[in-house]
Amino acid sequence: MASPRLETYCCPNRDAATQLVMSFQPEVFCGVCIGSACISLLLTILQLLPKKGQSPRKMPKASSSSTILLLISICDILGGLGVIFRSSVWLGFPGFIANISVVNGTDVWPSTFCVGSAMWIQLLYSAGFWWLFCYAVDSYLVVRRSAGLSTIVLYHMMTWGLAVMLCVEGIALLYYPSLSSCENGLEHAIPHYITTYAPLLLVLVVNPILFRRTVSAVASLLKGRQGIYTENERRLGTEIQMRFFKIMLVFVICWSSNIINETLLFYLEMQPDINEMPLKNIRSAALITWIIMGVLNPMQGFLFTLAFYGWTGWRVDLKWRKREIPWESMSSSTVGENAYPSPVNYQSNIHDSKKISTTDSQQTDEAISMLSEGNTSSDERLTRSSPIYQGW
């Protein structure tokens, strides 16, 4: 799981609220984290592997949106590996972990492991948040026809640059002037918590707005493609809207417990004594949400693949062949050269205006296909309603 409390625990003079959650049934908590992360890791990889029965397609190019979805899954996989590694060491070497709490200890490896593993987890999940924000931005720009593969370089620079900068800045402020003196005051802790939760809150607030504007723009594109709004196009717009809804639903489910837990722990930090009886219910709620975080945070990877691609099945095709990987667009071929044979023989005196209209429709199909890629039913409807398919 990902929480700024993991870095705070590396301080020997940690606050009482962090000590409360980190010392609560550590064996059970680490076992829950390992189990959840392993299940999510295996199912995520299963989702991404090519499946039998999927006909290979030669793609003209991969969209930036499909690349972003893959990078989100990679960040979740690597973050899950960090959770498994940290929790396994926690369970397997209790004596090694106990040295983290030693003030002015001579063995620096326990603290190095504590800080390094916590930073790895925070960095990868934070990068996943930034990639999810880039996906919302890219979806909107694609519909506005202002994005493409060239922008993926900018997304890389923004995502990894901001993730590394915020992670290093938060850690530096938390451990200043040294690891043994961190967390002596909230002036060290609050900036660290802000840098940790800033990308998460950004996705929660901004992504729904961008998704909503993208859906409205998609509806306008579908209406303007042929001048009518058919049932197929209405269903396609609804499915794109549902895809965005599923993405945000998974995100809220997996990370709302972190916000609740941090709010409760921050409230406890404000109290002179967190062990007072009036605070019993708050302590219990903090511990419950702490365990829930250990279950839901690592499961994000698998749940996101369900939101992105749906369930892809169990029949894995391990035979190597040159084929489209599952996360590539399944409908971009509608804009490729000779993507579909025209059922109508065009005459040589086709008007230029009709050619221009067909080109515009192809561009619209490309934009819609980038948003609906991975959804076979949507791709089929897009193909049937395409003027190229109809011999328009």
Side-chain angles (χ1 to χ4, degrees):
M1 47 81 68
S3 171
R5 300 290 167 173
L6 297 182
E7 290 92 347
T8 306
Y9 184 79
C10 302
C11 302
N13 54 339
R14 65 191 68 92
D15 63 283
T18 300
Q19 183 65 31
L20 171 69
V21 292
M22 294 296 295
S23 61
F24 175 71
Q25 300 291 334
E27 296 83 5
V28 175
F29 178 74
C30 291
V32 168
C33 290
I34 292 175
S36 178
C38 287
I39 293 174
S40 178
L41 186 66
L42 294 175
L43 291 177
T44 300
I45 295 175
L46 176 65
Q47 282 279 90
L48 297 178
L49 288 174
K51 301 301 189 299
K52 294 180 180 179
Q54 288 182 345
S55 58
R57 296 175 174 85
K58 291 184 179 180
M59 304 303 299
K61 64 180 180 178
S63 68
S64 54
S65 295
S66 65
T67 304
I68 292 173
L69 295 182
L70 174 59
L71 289 169
I72 293 174
S73 296
I74 291 176
C75 288
D76 287 329
I77 290 174
L78 295 177
L81 288 174
V83 172
I84 294 173
F85 175 69
R86 179 184 175 92
S87 300
S88 298
V89 173
W90 215 276
L91 285 178
F93 305 94
F96 177 80
I97 298 302
N99 290 330
I100 297 175
S101 302
V102 177
V103 180
N104 297 325
T106 57
D107 191 358
V108 298
W109 288 112
S111 297
T112 302
F113 161 76
C114 184
V115 176
S117 59
M119 286 186 64
W120 174 264
I121 295 171
Q122 178 189 339
L123 177 64
L124 268 300
Y125 280 109
S126 178
F129 298 157
W130 285 112
W131 276 122
L132 193 59
F133 171 71
C134 289
Y135 175 72
V137 173
D138 187 75
S139 298
Y140 181 74
L141 293 180
V142 162
V143 176
R144 295 296 181 182
R145 302 174 187 178
S146 305
L149 280 176
S150 59
T151 58
I152 196 67
V153 178
L154 299 177
Y155 295 150
H156 273 289
M157 295 173 60
M158 183 182 75
T159 296
W160 297 111
L162 288 174
V164 172
M165 182 186 69
L166 291 178
C167 182
V168 172
E169 181 182 3
I171 293 296
L173 293 174
L174 178 65
Y175 296 146
Y176 180 83
S178 66
L179 186 61
S180 59
S181 63
C182 65
E183 196 59 38
N184 279 333
L186 288 177
E187 66 274 8
H188 296 297
I190 290 180
H192 172 56
Y193 296 153
I194 292 176
T195 56
T196 300
Y197 284 104
L200 188 153
L201 295 175
L202 178 69
V203 173
L204 282 177
V205 175
V206 179
N207 274 38
I209 298 175
L210 290 175
F211 284 154
R212 185 177 182 85
R213 292 191 175 185
T214 302
V215 170
S216 299
V218 166
S220 299
L221 278 178
L222 291 173
K223 291 177 182 178
R225 184 170 56 179
Q226 300 183 60
I228 57 176
Y229 197 46
T230 65
E231 183 64 24
N232 284 338
E233 288 156 337
R234 184 178 293 105
R235 289 180 181 176
L236 179 58
T238 301
E239 288 182 5
I240 293 175
Q241 184 178 8
M242 283 301 300
R243 185 184 197 182
F244 291 156
F245 172 76
K246 291 176 183 177
I247 291 173
M248 290 308 305
L249 179 63
V250 168
F251 190 82
V252 171
I253 289 175
C254 291
W255 297 103
S256 57
S257 57
N258 292 61
I259 298 176
I260 296 173
N261 178 263
E262 197 60 51
T263 302
L264 295 173
L265 292 179
F266 191 79
Y267 176 78
L268 289 175
E269 285 187 41
M270 298 293 100
Q271 310 305 313
D273 184 8
I274 69 171
N275 295 316
E276 294 178 353
M277 284 301 298
L279 301 175
K280 180 179 178 180
N281 291 334
I282 297 180
R283 291 196 303 270
S284 299
L287 296 176
I288 292 173
T289 53
W290 181 256
I291 298 296
I292 293 175
M293 289 164 57
V295 176
L296 294 180
N297 288 180
M299 287 300 295
Q300 175 186 251
F302 169 61
L303 295 178
F304 262 156
T305 60
L306 291 179
F308 296 157
Y309 319 114
W311 174 246
T312 60
W314 297 95
R315 303 181 61 188
V316 178
D317 187 2
L318 298 179
K319 295 181 180 179
W320 184 89
R321 69 177 79 173
K322 187 176 181 180
R323 58 174 294 168
E324 177 197 3
I325 53 179
W327 48 80
E328 295 289 2
S329 168
M330 298 180 66
S331 58
S332 296
S333 56
T334 58
V335 300
E337 182 179 1
N338 297 326
Y340 293 97
S342 174
V344 177
N345 292 325
Y346 291 96
Q347 300 178 359
S348 58
N349 58 348
I350 297 178
H351 297 292
D352 292 339
S353 60
K354 184 173 292 188
K355 292 181 179 179
I356 295 173
S357 299
T358 303
T359 302
D360 292 340
S361 181
Q362 289 176 349
Q363 294 175 350
T364 300
D365 289 347
E366 181 178 13
I368 301 302
S369 68
M370 289 180 182
L371 300 180
S372 62
E373 54 196 352
N375 190 327
T376 306
S377 60
S378 298
D379 300 332
E380 291 175 350
R381 273 194 292 275
L382 177 61
T383 300
R384 288 194 297 266
S385 60
S386 173
I388 305 174
Y389 183 83
Q390 296 171 347
W392 178 52

